[in-house]
Amino acid sequence: MVRYYLGTKDDLKLGDLVEPDLSPEIGHVYVTSTLDGASWQGELAPGDGPGRIYEVEPTGRLDEAADAAAPQYPVATKWFRTQDPLRVTGECTNSKGRPRRLYHGTKADLKVGDLIEPGYAPNFGEKDRVTKYVYLTGTVDASIWGAELALADGPGRVYVVEPTGPIMDDPNLTDQKFRGNPTKSYRSQESLRVIGEHTDWDGNCPMR
C-alpha cells in the first residue's frame, strides 16, 4: 500500500481536508510518496512556523506528476497531484516540526542499545579533533550521506536512534546551505541510543 505525504506549515488535525489551489497558476495540490520529499516541501512552503509533514489520503483521482513539477526539491522522490481534497490521516512530525523517527549515518558496527556519544574522533573533517556533539537527522537521504562519507573502513550503516537529551538544529546546514531545515539535521551534546537499523536504502555515491 502506497502512503502519501504532504509537507506544509499549516497546523492540521486528523480528518481535516486540504483543498487544492485551483488557480490557473497552480491548479493542483502536490503530494509525495517519500518523507524526504515532504520534508523539503514543508520547509519551502509559504507561511511562518516549522514545516510539518502529514500523512494524507486522496478523496479523488491522483495522477503522477513529472519531476519537473517540483524542481525546487532536490531529493529523489516521486510526486503526485490532484484537484480533489486530501484527508489528513496522521502527522509525521511533532509540534516543533521535528520528525518522529530519527537516524544516524556512520560506518560503525552497532547494535540495539548502544550509545553514540560525543567526545570521539569525528566522522568528517580533521580526525585529530574531538567532537562536542553527535549528529542525527530526520530524513533517510541525509543519513545515507553521513553513512557513505564517514571516514572509516567498512560499509555505511544507517541506524534509527533516540536522543537521550535535548537536540537542536544543526547550524552548519540550517539557513547556511538551505533555508529552514529541510534535511531535518540536528545535533546534541547528549548521547544517542540505537533502537534499530534501517537497511532499506540505496547509495548516493558511485561506490559504497
Side-chain angles (χ1 to χ4, degrees), residues 137-157:
T137 173
T139 72
V140 175
D141 192 61
S143 65
I144 291 172
W145 284 109
E148 293 188 322
L149 298 177
L151 298 176
D153 297 325
R157 312 284 287 271

Side-chain angles (χ1 to χ4, degrees), residues 2-164:
V2 178
R3 293 185 176 181
Y4 301 105
Y5 305 99
L6 173 74
T8 180
K9 288 191 171 68
D10 294 336
D11 186 6
L12 305 174
K13 62 182 183 298
L14 190 68
D16 280 354
L17 292 178
V18 180
E19 300 286 347
D21 184 342
L22 297 180
S23 65
E25 296 80 11
I26 300 176
H28 301 83
V29 61
Y30 288 91
V31 296
T32 174
S33 56
T34 72
L35 286 170
D36 287 5
S39 174
W40 282 93
Q41 187 184 31
E43 289 292 343
L44 295 177
D48 299 322
R52 309 281 284 269
I53 301 173
Y54 297 95
E55 187 171 339
V56 295
E57 63 179 10
T59 63
R61 176 175 172 175
L62 195 66
D63 297 315
E64 288 191 19
D67 292 341
Q72 68 270 41
Y73 308 131
V75 291
T77 189
K78 194 168 187 178
W79 292 95
F80 303 86
R81 66 183 185 181
T82 182
Q83 291 183 318
D84 297 299
L86 301 168
R87 181 176 291 108
V88 175
T89 58
E91 185 175 2
C92 303
T93 50
N94 61 24
S95 60
K96 295 182 179 179
R98 288 178 176 162
R100 300 191 185 278
R101 201 173 203 205
L102 296 163
Y103 306 91
H104 176 82
T106 181
K107 287 190 170 72
D109 186 6
L110 304 174
K111 61 182 183 298
V112 172
D114 284 351
L115 294 178
I116 303 169
E117 300 176 306
Y120 292 90
N123 275 340
F124 312 97
E126 299 295 331
K127 295 293 289 183
D128 57 354
R129 64 185 175 89
V130 174
T131 60
K132 295 181 180 179
Y133 301 93
V134 287
Y135 294 85
L136 63 163
T137 173
T139 72
V140 175
D141 192 61
S143 65
I144 291 172
W145 284 109
E148 293 188 322
L149 298 177
L151 298 176
D153 297 325
R157 312 284 287 271
V158 174
Y159 295 99
V160 183
V161 296
E162 62 178 7
T164 63

Side-chain angles (χ1 to χ4, degrees), residues 126-205:
E126 299 295 331
K127 295 293 289 183
D128 57 354
R129 64 185 175 89
V130 174
T131 60
K132 295 181 180 179
Y133 301 93
V134 287
Y135 294 85
L136 63 163
T137 173
T139 72
V140 175
D141 192 61
S143 65
I144 291 172
W145 284 109
E148 293 188 322
L149 298 177
L151 298 176
D153 297 325
R157 312 284 287 271
V158 174
Y159 295 99
V160 183
V161 296
E162 62 178 7
T164 63
I167 65 174
M168 65 193 80
D169 287 357
D170 179 1
N172 298 316
L173 292 175
T174 305
D175 291 330
Q176 290 195 22
K177 292 187 177 180
F178 309 110
R179 181 171 69 85
N181 190 2
T183 59
K184 302 298 181 187
S185 297
Y186 309 102
R187 69 182 187 182
S188 177
Q189 291 184 303
E190 306 293 334
S191 303
L192 308 176
R193 181 178 291 107
V194 176
I195 60 174
E197 183 174 0
H198 180 82
T199 57
D200 184 19
W201 58 274
D202 297 318
N204 292 308
C205 298

